Amino acid sequence: MAGKNYYDVTDWNTGNPYEDIGEVINSIIADIKCRQSEADVEEGGKPGAVIYIPSGDYHLRTQVVIDISYLKIMGSGHGFVSSSIRYNLPESEWADLHEVWPGGSRILVEISAKDTGEEAAGAAFYVERNGNPRISSVEFENFCIDGLHFTDDGSGVENPENTYTNGKTGIYVASAQDSFRLTGMGIVYLEHGVTIYHADALSVHDNFIAECGNCLELRGWGQASKITDNLMGAGYKGYSIYAQNFGGLLIGSNNIFPRGKSSIHFDNVARSSITGNRFHSFYPGMLVFEGNCSENLVSSNHFLRDNEPWAPMLEYNNGLNDLYGLLCISGNYNSIIANHISESIHGQSIHPAGEKPVIIHLTSGMGNYISSNHIVATTEASSEQTEASDSCFSAQVDALTMTDQRVPLEVIAVLVEKESIQNTVLDTGMDSQVIMDKSANAFRATPGIGE
Amino acid sequence: MAGKNYYDVTDWNTGNPYEDIGEVINSIIADIKCRQSEADVEEGGKPGAVIYIPSGDYHLRTQVVIDISYLKIMGSGHGFVSSSIRYNLPESEWADLHEVWPGGSRILVEISAKDTGEEAAGAAFYVERNGNPRISSVEFENFCIDGLHFTDDGSGVENPENTYTNGKTGIYVASAQDSFRLTGMGIVYLEHGVTIYHADALSVHDNFIAECGNCLELRGWGQASKITDNLMGAGYKGYSIYAQNFGGLLIGSNNIFPRGKSSIHFDNVARSSITGNRFHSFYPGMLVFEGNCSENLVSSNHFLRDNEPWAPMLEYNNGLNDLYGLLCISGNYNSIIANHISESIHGQSIHPAGEKPVIIHLTSGMGNYISSNHIVATTEASSEQTEASDSCFSAQVDALTMTDQRVPLEVIAVLVEKESIQNTVLDTGMDSQVIMDKSANAFRATPGIGE
Amino acid sequence: MAGKNYYDVTDWNTGNPYEDIGEVINSIIADIKCRQSEADVEEGGKPGAVIYIPSGDYHLRTQVVIDISYLKIMGSGHGFVSSSIRYNLPESEWADLHEVWPGGSRILVEISAKDTGEEAAGAAFYVERNGNPRISSVEFENFCIDGLHFTDDGSGVENPENTYTNGKTGIYVASAQDSFRLTGMGIVYLEHGVTIYHADALSVHDNFIAECGNCLELRGWGQASKITDNLMGAGYKGYSIYAQNFGGLLIGSNNIFPRGKSSIHFDNVARSSITGNRFHSFYPGMLVFEGNCSENLVSSNHFLRDNEPWAPMLEYNNGLNDLYGLLCISGNYNSIIANHISESIHGQSIHPAGEKPVIIHLTSGMGNYISSNHIVATTEASSEQTEASDSCFSAQVDALTMTDQRVPLEVIAVLVEKESIQNTVLDTGMDSQVIMDKSANAFRATPGIGE
């Protein structure tokens, strides 16, 4: 049935998948390598295999180590539930919960880097192989990786489940790889959801990666990849999407919700695209271009920043103040075109008090092109009562949709520092809202009423 | 094999899936609930299950009721075929058809709200659960829900199969839910394809939802969801996509074809995105923002309105005239940037006769930003013969691609009513094509030839 | 188990799938047709079936012929590896390779059109059916089609594996069809990856189609389809995406990498969208609109052209010189809005020498609207050493991300020929960079520094 290259973790001869699915999968991988030992037999020989994880709760006490190409690991459900909401309920309410834990084809990660100090040691799935070719076409599809708990991070917060720290990683790819796919996954309550070094032609598509310290980190360097159509949102001190030394990355059609220290953080990324996304954040610094980030396109995105509406998270933020910029850009020849940017915050939340928040901040570089962006800044009318709520969902929807009693808030639409020169700013703010050396940059103000 | 959490409807001990798959699935759900009775056993306990529907024709005479999280229902084929074309063939041609009915993993919906008057009673799949947590991570994947027939709607139309009315719904989610997924589904000939109340982190991705009275309705309120990469098109009196009191909705990369009373209808929707879609309609009112729709982004979309080319549908329309606006916007601080809008209609089809059709119509609100849109309006040259065709496919392709014998049609590119103030309109029409109080709004005309 | 409509190629009673999977699948299709002989039994009758291909190497020596609707062919892995890199390694290194061949659920195509001269004869999967309805809802999912080798094309190149010619096609759809889906496929080393005539409501989504002579060709005519979220890149003499006489095509969120004679080539395509893509090429002519291409939208795309960095491909190009245009547009009323275009090339590579490369070239037609595009043209500083590399991956990443030692290159941002009239060009170049009859077109220059 389905030949020998189809494995079901519940039907394997070694280990107990419910007690340690890591042992089972490693044993299956050993079997594949044993059976597929010849690389070139009639122009084939190592086609890989699929490992199926049916719906169920599977503890993982041994790290899965992947060093073969064409391995597909697939389940039957991404199984997300909000663990953050649960951990902020009074424990007395737990007995009434329909379900307590995430589900689907669910891996319970019981290992942690905390024991060794090495981040990779805390990864449920660890991929590494040297030599040629690069490991290729490993696919992860439609299962859940759950880190279970966050733990005390030394900050002394009352509820350690809110620390977004536990030394656990869902998937860690340590060596250069080609044409990997992550699709339909659910990844929750891990300090690092997915960490990938040296990606080429990677596809991270249609996943649910939330309530992780960091969601997706592309480290080292890489090229020609796509992060599309995901629902994501990291904790208050981590990255939702981070990329380093990357070229040709396409980030499109994602819905990135709070919190996340940032929505997207680029470090020396070039010739990449951020288009058609919806971003929502509770802090400044939603989009950060650090170092030499050049020739990137930021287009047709919706940025919204408002205030934290949920009581248990009120004490957290990312430590940046409102002068940092909602978008903070370092680098050359980037394009920021046709975006909508809403900043809708309480007057008393602005830091430093009395200052105008900065929306687009160019800190260094040259030749950036900023055109046709609509910046909407509002605050509550003086008579309005705004307060955080104990109910995460209704609080968030109310905060999102109650737009009718707002009044304009004065902001700096674009701030260009002296270190950033020869930029072009068009139709993105009134003359008074754009602060820069207008003799050293090109500028056309958005026309005013009746002008 | 695949453990106990994998169910195949053709291999279950209760009911006959071909006669009533509803009874079978409900029995399976009861079995899951019976077996997964403890919510917290070693940090797991209720992982849910997958129910597999192989390719086949499955009558549904009992409504499926879902009240457990992490249930995945999946098939092996979305099975769409155009029932509308079939029902408008002479019956004498039926005998020669290769296939008569839709296929794949196909549910034949034999229940209807008509018996009770309650819309929910006509749903093939009904989801409801109160208490905490919200029901989460139910997934519908790659099967077909077919309503079979439309029925007399009292309008006296000759062919009741063209009424788009039958009291049937494919999927109806009545209570607040989290992280649901619909992927790869085919949904056809239902009065309501998918109706979801109170959605959070919903993903409706890569489905085929067509020839339904209404395709996708997000009712009540909701947030942080995505409707992406779908092929859709409702009947002439229903919604292709409707959303109500929603925040943070991302509608991207969809191809929404006719007919549909509208392509997208928002009612009090805020901070949402409509980007990178292709919209095609035969009537005015393609995009409707009703009530207080604020801070939404409409960017990089292609809008095309032309005339109905298919003979059996010539008698229908959505009742709106050409002064309504192809895009009709009520609300504040919306952004309409970088869209292409083509209106290509017969001169004699314009109502009221002699009037210039309105393309973008702002009816109330303030602070909307309309920039860098290209509006192309054409009509047939006087010598051109245009007529509807009996062949749906060739007629449509000809209508779409025969663009070379057109002459310009005079339209109102932007009409801003007195009730809508302080808007900004840039590079979206010549001075003569933009009708508004230019002292109460900001305006820059698209430069003219040689200006 | 899974009823009779679920077939596994490794568990069928006719043929040996490892020796000739074509014979096996044709035998299965014959069985489906035999069993599903009645088109209308209780409003069902021909639901189709799913054919599963587990991970493995399957030679195909008989063409698969599909003439039934609702057939799904699915595997467990797209199995891409770079064959191009392998074939350009010294053979002495082959013995050290972890894997030599692509994998996953892999079809090894052993037939070729070379024997007969008819292109269709070289297709692994051939779909054709006349009569009504059009063949519908055939789905191809998550398997690999590998053409194995390229062969001598008469050009006398040293390594025939670099010819991108072998007379083989992956999937060839010869007749009008409706609602087909290709998802998660891997297609490699075929002269034609996917060729589809007369498409309607086609979805080509989330595939990996690379190292093919041509990746995806939509021929004849067609409408209302989507090509989204794919990773693609053809050889130096073929199309990555080609469409002909098409209306309502949506090409979005794709990452199209080199080489490809072009990234997208439209021939008489109307009312279609190219939005949110990332394009990378080594030659001029990345986007070609040929004939009457009208009312199309090109928005929010990232275009990058630089020089070939990989030694084995240095001798190839598409034969176009730098006056052709990076985007070459023939047709009416197209929109090119909010794109980023980077041209970053060696000074000595420019042909004709001493000329300024053309970025956007309008060759005929009227009424095109070009607005808010950011064109960045750079070349190496005189002191910089640039050379091609033997390592494909590191060479490419370095070339992509080393942007900091570049100096501006003079280009013609927009060139409008006399044959193209009444166009509008806004904010897409300085006055000196836009060459056209400014009395016969509308123009607004991007403001200069300090203007």
Side-chain angles (χ1 to χ4, degrees):
Chain A
M1 160 69 232
K4 291 183 173 172
N5 293 329
Y6 182 99
Y7 296 85
D8 179 330
V9 294
T10 66
D11 190 30
W12 183 240
N13 57 30
T14 301
N16 176 336
Y18 305 107
E19 291 303 314
D20 185 8
I21 193 171
E23 181 192 1
V24 171
I25 293 178
N26 284 339
S27 166
I28 291 172
I29 292 172
D31 187 67
I32 298 166
K33 291 165 77 166
C34 177
R35 291 193 303 101
Q36 299 180 5
S37 58
E38 296 298 314
D40 189 8
V41 183
E42 293 189 70
E43 304 199 311
K46 293 190 170 184
V50 54
I51 300 176
Y52 176 53
I53 305 171
S55 306
D57 293 302
Y58 304 90
H59 294 269
L60 182 146
R61 297 187 166 93
T62 305
Q63 182 177 70
V64 173
V65 178
I66 297 175
D67 60 356
I68 57 171
S69 293
Y70 321 128
L71 183 69
K72 177 168 190 156
I73 303 180
M74 64 179 289
S76 288
H78 79 293
F80 180 83
V81 76
S82 175
S83 291
S84 183
I85 294 176
R86 176 183 67 248
Y87 285 128
N88 287 289
L89 286 177
E91 287 234 14
S92 60
E93 296 184 16
W94 279 45
D96 295 330
L97 295 177
H98 292 291
E99 303 100 11
V100 175
W101 303 98
S105 297
R106 173 178 175 238
I107 308 291
L108 292 72
V109 183
E110 309 273 14
I111 60 177
S112 167
K114 292 211 156 176
D115 309 329
T116 67
E118 281 186 57
E119 185 183 320
F125 293 85
Y126 180 82
V127 182
E128 183 172 22
R129 190 177 77 181
N130 296 311
N132 286 320
R134 292 165 293 164
I135 186 168
S136 299
S137 292
V138 173
E139 303 187 19
F140 298 90
E141 185 175 308
N142 204 214
F143 65 95
C144 178
I145 309 179
D146 177 13
L148 295 165
H149 298 278
F150 292 127
T151 54
D152 188 358
D153 64 351
S155 65
V157 303
E158 192 182 353
N159 186 347
E161 296 289 2
N162 291 340
T163 62
Y164 288 90
T165 300
N166 62 11
K168 298 181 183 183
T169 296
I171 297 170
Y172 189 106
V173 183
S175 56
Q177 91 291 150
D178 193 11
S179 55
F180 273 34
R181 283 168 58 93
L182 275 77
T183 312
M185 297 291 293
I187 296 184
V188 56
Y189 253 66
L190 295 149
E191 185 170 336
H192 300 274
V194 178
T195 300
I196 300 181
Y197 283 83
H198 312 328
D200 191 3
L202 168 70
S203 172
V204 178
H205 175 67
D206 198 20
N207 300 286
F208 199 109
I209 310 180
E211 301 185 354
C212 286
N214 303 268
C215 292
L216 175 60
E217 295 157 272
L218 303 185
R219 299 186 192 158
W221 33 267
Q223 72 166 350
S225 295
K226 64 187 172 80
I227 304 171
T228 53
D229 226 311
N230 299 285
L231 293 161
M232 282 196 202
Y236 51 87
K237 63 183 176 188
Y239 301 116
S240 287
I241 297 177
Y242 171 81
Q244 191 175 33
N245 302 319
F246 223 95
L249 180 60
L250 172 63
I251 300 179
S253 297
N254 299 286
N255 196 328
I256 312 288
F257 36 73
R259 289 169 192 82
K261 180 169 68 176
S262 57
S263 300
I264 297 194
H265 189 123
F266 276 179
D267 178 7
N268 286 298
V269 169
R271 283 90 180 255
S272 292
S273 266
I274 301 172
T275 54
N277 300 284
R278 182 254 168 173
F279 300 119
H280 182 196
S281 167
F282 298 142
Y283 325 127
M286 296 183 66
L287 176 70
V288 178
F289 281 6
E290 179 187 352
N292 180 14
C293 283
S294 292
E295 300 178 47
N296 300 295
L297 172 63
V298 180
S299 177
S300 290
N301 300 289
H302 192 287
F303 293 86
L304 167 65
R305 190 220 147 179
D306 53 11
N307 290 108
E308 173 72 64
W310 192 38
M313 291 290 159
L314 282 176
E315 65 187 286
Y316 304 107
N317 60 62
N318 69 351
L320 297 173
N321 73 27
D322 291 293
L323 302 181
Y324 183 81
L326 212 54
L327 290 71
C328 187
I329 306 296
S330 162
N332 309 313
Y333 301 122
N334 297 292
S335 301
I336 301 177
I337 312 174
N339 299 286
H340 177 104
I341 308 176
S342 278
E343 171 134 318
S344 178
I345 54 177
H346 307 323
Q348 78 274 19
S349 76
I350 297 171
H351 294 283
E355 297 281 351
K356 294 181 191 173
V358 175
I359 304 301
I360 301 176
H361 191 184
L362 303 192
T363 62
S364 68
M366 65 177 291
N368 299 292
Y369 179 96
I370 300 175
S371 179
S372 305
N373 301 288
H374 185 203
I375 296 172
V376 176
T378 56
T379 189
E380 72 278 18
S382 57
S383 60
E384 188 183 355
Q385 295 296 320
T386 58
E387 52 190 68
S389 162
D390 288 329
S391 164
C392 186
F393 184 36
S394 71
Q396 289 177 357
V397 174
D398 283 354
L400 277 170
T401 54
M402 301 263 257
T403 60
D404 53 349
Q405 293 178 304
R406 318 282 304 165
V407 297
L409 171 71
E410 285 198 21
V411 296
I412 298 173
V414 184
L415 171 62
V416 181
E417 301 287 352
K418 272 181 311 196
E419 291 75 9
S420 183
I421 58 170
Q422 295 177 25
N423 304 291
T424 301
V425 179
L426 309 176
D427 300 337
T428 301
M430 305 292 173
D431 188 75
S432 62
Q433 296 173 313
V434 177
I435 310 298
M436 64 180 182
D437 181 344
K438 286 169 189 165
S439 70
N441 295 279
F443 179 60
R444 186 178 66 229
T446 308
I449 307 300
E451 276 182 8
Chain B
M1 163 68 232
K4 292 184 172 170
N5 294 329
Y6 182 98
Y7 296 84
D8 180 328
V9 293
T10 66
D11 191 30
W12 183 239
N13 57 31
T14 300
N16 177 337
Y18 305 106
E19 291 303 314
D20 185 8
I21 194 171
E23 181 192 1
V24 171
I25 294 178
N26 284 339
S27 166
I28 291 171
I29 292 172
D31 187 68
I32 298 164
K33 292 165 77 166
C34 176
R35 291 193 303 100
Q36 299 181 7
S37 57
E38 297 297 314
D40 190 8
V41 183
E42 293 189 72
E43 305 198 311
K46 292 191 171 184
V50 54
I51 299 175
Y52 176 54
I53 304 171
S55 306
D57 293 303
Y58 304 91
H59 294 269
L60 181 145
R61 298 189 166 93
T62 304
Q63 181 177 69
V64 174
V65 178
I66 298 174
D67 60 355
I68 57 172
S69 293
Y70 321 128
L71 182 68
K72 178 169 190 156
I73 302 180
M74 63 179 289
S76 288
H78 78 292
F80 180 83
V81 77
S82 175
S83 292
S84 183
I85 293 176
R86 178 183 63 249
Y87 284 128
N88 287 288
L89 285 177
E91 286 235 14
S92 61
E93 295 184 16
W94 280 45
D96 295 329
L97 295 177
H98 292 291
E99 304 99 13
V100 175
W101 303 99
S105 297
R106 173 178 175 237
I107 308 291
L108 292 71
V109 183
E110 309 274 14
I111 60 176
S112 166
K114 291 211 158 178
D115 308 328
T116 67
E118 281 186 55
E119 184 183 322
F125 293 84
Y126 180 81
V127 181
E128 183 171 23
R129 191 177 75 180
N130 295 310
N132 286 319
R134 292 166 292 164
I135 187 168
S136 300
S137 292
V138 172
E139 304 187 17
F140 297 89
E141 186 175 308
N142 203 214
F143 64 95
C144 178
I145 309 179
D146 177 13
L148 296 164
H149 298 279
F150 291 127
T151 54
D152 188 358
D153 64 351
S155 65
V157 303
E158 192 182 353
N159 186 348
E161 297 288 3
N162 290 340
T163 63
Y164 289 90
T165 300
N166 62 9
K168 299 180 182 182
T169 296
I171 298 170
Y172 189 107
V173 183
S175 56
Q177 91 290 152
D178 193 11
S179 54
F180 273 34
R181 282 168 60 93
L182 274 78
T183 312
M185 297 291 293
I187 296 184
V188 56
Y189 254 64
L190 295 150
E191 185 170 336
H192 300 273
V194 178
T195 300
I196 301 180
Y197 283 83
H198 312 328
D200 192 3
L202 169 70
S203 173
V204 178
H205 176 67
D206 198 20
N207 300 287
F208 199 109
I209 310 180
E211 300 186 356
C212 287
N214 302 267
C215 292
L216 176 60
E217 295 157 272
L218 303 184
R219 299 185 191 160
W221 32 267
Q223 71 166 350
S225 295
K226 64 187 173 80
I227 303 171
T228 53
D229 227 309
N230 299 285
L231 293 160
M232 280 196 206
Y236 51 87
K237 61 184 178 187
Y239 301 116
S240 286
I241 297 177
Y242 172 81
Q244 191 175 33
N245 303 317
F246 223 95
L249 181 60
L250 173 63
I251 299 179
S253 296
N254 299 286
N255 197 328
I256 312 287
F257 36 74
R259 289 170 190 81
K261 182 169 68 176
S262 58
S263 300
I264 297 194
H265 188 124
F266 277 179
D267 178 8
N268 287 298
V269 168
R271 283 89 179 255
S272 292
S273 267
I274 300 173
T275 54
N277 301 284
R278 181 253 169 174
F279 300 118
H280 183 196
S281 167
F282 298 141
Y283 323 128
M286 295 182 68
L287 177 70
V288 178
F289 282 5
E290 179 188 352
N292 180 14
C293 282
S294 293
E295 300 178 46
N296 299 296
L297 172 63
V298 179
S299 177
S300 289
N301 300 290
H302 193 287
F303 292 86
L304 166 65
R305 191 219 146 180
D306 53 10
N307 289 108
E308 174 71 63
W310 193 38
M313 291 289 159
L314 283 176
E315 64 187 289
Y316 305 106
N317 60 63
N318 68 352
L320 297 173
N321 72 27
D322 291 294
L323 303 182
Y324 183 80
L326 213 55
L327 290 71
C328 187
I329 306 296
S330 161
N332 309 313
Y333 300 122
N334 298 292
S335 301
I336 300 177
I337 312 175
N339 300 285
H340 178 103
I341 307 176
S342 278
E343 171 134 318
S344 178
I345 54 176
H346 306 323
Q348 77 274 19
S349 76
I350 297 171
H351 293 282
E355 296 281 349
K356 294 182 190 172
V358 175
I359 304 302
I360 301 176
H361 191 185
L362 303 193
T363 61
S364 68
M366 65 177 290
N368 298 292
Y369 180 96
I370 299 175
S371 179
S372 304
N373 301 288
H374 186 202
I375 295 173
V376 176
T378 57
T379 189
E380 72 278 17
S382 57
S383 59
E384 187 182 354
Q385 295 296 320
T386 59
E387 52 190 67
S389 163
D390 289 329
S391 163
C392 186
F393 185 35
S394 70
Q396 289 177 357
V397 174
D398 283 355
L400 276 170
T401 55
M402 301 262 257
T403 60
D404 53 349
Q405 293 177 304
R406 316 285 302 166
V407 297
L409 171 71
E410 284 199 22
V411 296
I412 299 174
V414 183
L415 171 63
V416 181
E417 302 289 350
K418 274 180 309 194
E419 291 77 9
S420 184
I421 58 170
Q422 296 178 26
N423 303 291
T424 300
V425 179
L426 309 176
D427 300 337
T428 301
M430 306 292 173
D431 188 74
S432 61
Q433 295 173 312
V434 177
I435 310 298
M436 64 181 181
D437 181 345
K438 285 168 188 166
S439 70
N441 295 280
F443 179 61
R444 186 177 66 229
T446 309
I449 307 300
E451 278 182 9
Chain C
M1 161 70 233
K4 291 184 172 169
N5 293 329
Y6 182 99
Y7 296 84
D8 180 328
V9 295
T10 66
D11 190 30
W12 183 239
N13 57 31
T14 300
N16 177 336
Y18 304 106
E19 291 303 314
D20 185 8
I21 193 171
E23 181 192 1
V24 171
I25 293 178
N26 284 339
S27 166
I28 291 171
I29 292 172
D31 187 67
I32 298 165
K33 291 165 78 166
C34 177
R35 291 193 303 100
Q36 299 180 5
S37 58
E38 296 298 313
D40 189 9
V41 182
E42 293 189 71
E43 304 199 312
K46 293 191 170 183
V50 54
I51 300 175
Y52 175 55
I53 305 170
S55 306
D57 294 303
Y58 303 91
H59 294 269
L60 182 145
R61 298 188 165 94
T62 304
Q63 182 177 71
V64 174
V65 178
I66 298 175
D67 60 355
I68 56 171
S69 293
Y70 321 128
L71 182 68
K72 177 169 190 156
I73 303 180
M74 63 179 290
S76 288
H78 79 292
F80 180 84
V81 77
S82 175
S83 291
S84 183
I85 294 176
R86 177 184 65 249
Y87 284 127
N88 287 289
L89 285 177
E91 286 233 15
S92 60
E93 296 185 17
W94 280 45
D96 295 330
L97 295 177
H98 293 291
E99 304 99 12
V100 175
W101 303 98
S105 297
R106 173 178 176 240
I107 308 291
L108 292 73
V109 183
E110 309 274 13
I111 59 177
S112 166
K114 291 211 158 176
D115 308 329
T116 68
E118 280 186 57
E119 185 184 321
F125 294 84
Y126 180 80
V127 181
E128 183 173 22
R129 191 178 75 181
N130 296 310
N132 286 320
R134 292 167 290 164
I135 186 168
S136 300
S137 292
V138 173
E139 303 188 18
F140 297 88
E141 185 174 309
N142 203 213
F143 64 96
C144 179
I145 308 179
D146 177 13
L148 295 164
H149 297 279
F150 291 127
T151 54
D152 188 358
D153 63 351
S155 66
V157 303
E158 191 181 354
N159 186 347
E161 297 289 2
N162 291 340
T163 63
Y164 289 90
T165 301
N166 60 11
K168 299 180 183 184
T169 296
I171 297 170
Y172 189 106
V173 183
S175 56
Q177 90 292 149
D178 193 12
S179 55
F180 273 35
R181 282 168 60 93
L182 274 79
T183 312
M185 297 291 294
I187 295 184
V188 56
Y189 254 64
L190 295 150
E191 184 170 336
H192 300 274
V194 178
T195 300
I196 300 180
Y197 284 82
H198 312 329
D200 192 3
L202 168 70
S203 173
V204 178
H205 176 67
D206 198 20
N207 300 286
F208 199 109
I209 309 180
E211 302 186 354
C212 287
N214 302 268
C215 292
L216 175 60
E217 295 157 272
L218 303 185
R219 299 185 192 160
W221 33 267
Q223 71 166 351
S225 295
K226 64 186 172 81
I227 303 171
T228 53
D229 226 311
N230 299 285
L231 293 161
M232 279 196 205
Y236 51 87
K237 61 183 176 188
Y239 301 117
S240 286
I241 296 177
Y242 172 79
Q244 191 175 33
N245 302 318
F246 223 94
L249 181 60
L250 172 64
I251 300 179
S253 296
N254 298 287
N255 197 328
I256 312 287
F257 36 73
R259 290 170 190 81
K261 181 169 68 176
S262 57
S263 300
I264 296 194
H265 188 122
F266 277 179
D267 178 7
N268 287 298
V269 168
R271 284 90 179 254
S272 292
S273 266
I274 300 172
T275 53
N277 300 285
R278 182 253 170 177
F279 300 119
H280 182 196
S281 167
F282 298 142
Y283 324 128
M286 296 183 68
L287 176 70
V288 179
F289 282 5
E290 179 187 352
N292 180 13
C293 282
S294 292
E295 300 178 45
N296 300 295
L297 171 65
V298 180
S299 177
S300 290
N301 299 290
H302 192 286
F303 292 86
L304 166 65
R305 191 221 146 177
D306 53 10
N307 290 107
E308 174 70 64
W310 193 38
M313 291 291 158
L314 282 177
E315 65 187 287
Y316 304 107
N317 60 62
N318 67 353
L320 297 174
N321 72 26
D322 292 293
L323 303 182
Y324 182 81
L326 212 55
L327 290 72
C328 187
I329 306 296
S330 161
N332 309 312
Y333 300 122
N334 297 291
S335 301
I336 301 177
I337 313 174
N339 299 285
H340 178 105
I341 307 176
S342 278
E343 171 133 320
S344 178
I345 54 177
H346 307 323
Q348 77 274 19
S349 76
I350 296 171
H351 294 283
E355 297 282 350
K356 294 181 191 172
V358 175
I359 305 302
I360 300 176
H361 191 184
L362 302 193
T363 62
S364 69
M366 65 177 290
N368 298 291
Y369 179 97
I370 300 175
S371 180
S372 305
N373 300 287
H374 185 203
I375 296 172
V376 176
T378 57
T379 189
E380 73 277 18
S382 57
S383 60
E384 187 183 355
Q385 295 296 320
T386 58
E387 52 190 66
S389 163
D390 288 329
S391 163
C392 186
F393 185 35
S394 72
Q396 290 177 358
V397 174
D398 283 355
L400 276 171
T401 55
M402 303 263 258
T403 61
D404 53 349
Q405 292 178 303
R406 317 284 302 166
V407 296
L409 171 70
E410 285 198 22
V411 296
I412 298 173
V414 183
L415 171 63
V416 182
E417 302 288 351
K418 274 180 308 193
E419 291 75 10
S420 183
I421 57 170
Q422 295 177 26
N423 303 291
T424 301
V425 179
L426 309 176
D427 300 336
T428 300
M430 305 294 172
D431 188 73
S432 62
Q433 296 172 314
V434 177
I435 310 298
M436 64 180 181
D437 181 345
K438 286 168 188 166
S439 70
N441 295 279
F443 179 61
R444 185 177 66 228
T446 309
I449 307 301
E451 277 182 10

